[in-house]
Amino acid sequence: MKGMTMNEMTGCMCCAGLSRRAFLSVGMGAAAIGLLPGGAFAAYGDSELMLLSCIDPRLVHAVHEQMEARKLRGEYSQVVLAGGPVAAIAPAFKSWHAAVWGNLDATIKLHNIKRAFGLTHLDCAAVRIAYGNDAVLPAMERATHIRILRAFRAQITKRHPTLGCETGIMALDGSIETIAA
């Protein structure tokens, strides 16, 4: 048996060409990966929500502070794209829609989330790209965000009727105005 490959010993093609030593090395490596903190494969366990927010560096810290204030550390997954919910619904970002909704689907499966949280912010360049300069004029900006967030909520409800949905608009000072259904 010395010098035989696993295929020669077992007839199994999945290990064709591996010596016993190589086969054991692969097995030991796989076992060691399982001992790594947090595991090395798919995440598991329940989380509270998935947060969809904007990439604007002015507000990254404020977003995390808000989640901390809500006592959600380690209880949410986060998708960060230009405009946050804008990326999920605006025709200008149509090529991103599948990524957002696919991520939500995966997050539901992996983390059994209870709700989604769509967070836009004032003075957002992605809103300007998607809807034009007039959409972010002071007289129109809040209404634009409300329209975006209601469309986001409608998509959540359509795709996952039992999933809760929160929406909000962040001001540049980091405060959040909750937008009801």
Side-chain angles (χ1 to χ4, degrees):
M1 293 240 218
K2 187 172 182 170
M4 293 179 71
T5 67
M6 291 304 291
N7 180 42
E8 292 167 329
M9 291 173 26
T10 65
C12 175
M13 289 307 294
C14 70
C15 303
L18 286 180
S19 67
R20 283 185 302 175
R21 180 173 288 160
F23 181 78
L24 286 172
S25 295
V26 169
M28 294 296 283
I33 287 172
L35 297 175
L36 293 173
F41 297 108
Y44 61 92
D46 292 354
S47 292
E48 189 63 30
L49 62 84
M50 183 186 92
L51 170 64
L52 178 59
S53 61
C54 187
I55 61 172
D56 192 320
R58 298 175 296 173
L59 297 170
V60 170
H61 185 69
V63 169
H64 291 289
E65 284 181 335
Q66 282 287 344
M67 299 309 279
E68 289 281 328
R70 293 169 183 237
K71 303 204 182 322
L72 289 169
R73 176 185 281 201
E75 294 296 325
Y76 68 98
S77 64
Q78 186 173 12
V79 176
V80 184
L81 290 169
V86 177
I89 57 114
F93 298 115
K94 185 177 181 179
S95 64
W96 296 0
H97 295 184
V100 172
W101 300 118
N103 195 292
L104 177 62
D105 294 343
T107 301
I108 290 168
K109 289 174 188 165
L110 291 171
H111 303 295
N112 195 33
I113 60 169
K114 298 167 186 69
R115 58 198 159 110
F117 183 16
L119 184 62
T120 61
H121 70 87
L122 299 175
D123 192 37
C124 181
V127 172
R128 187 176 293 113
I129 291 168
Y131 299 105
N133 289 329
D134 289 348
V136 295
L137 292 174
M140 297 294 299
E141 188 171 27
R142 185 174 178 278
T144 300
H145 283 271
I146 290 171
R147 189 176 72 248
I148 291 164
L149 292 169
R150 288 192 174 145
F152 174 73
R153 183 186 301 272
Q155 282 295 310
I156 293 285
T157 302
K158 177 182 173 186
R159 293 166 186 271
H160 300 282
T162 61
L163 190 66
C165 184
E166 267 184 78
T167 56
I169 304 169
M170 182 174 271
L172 295 180
D173 67 2
S175 62
I176 295 177
E177 176 189 0
T178 299
I179 303 301

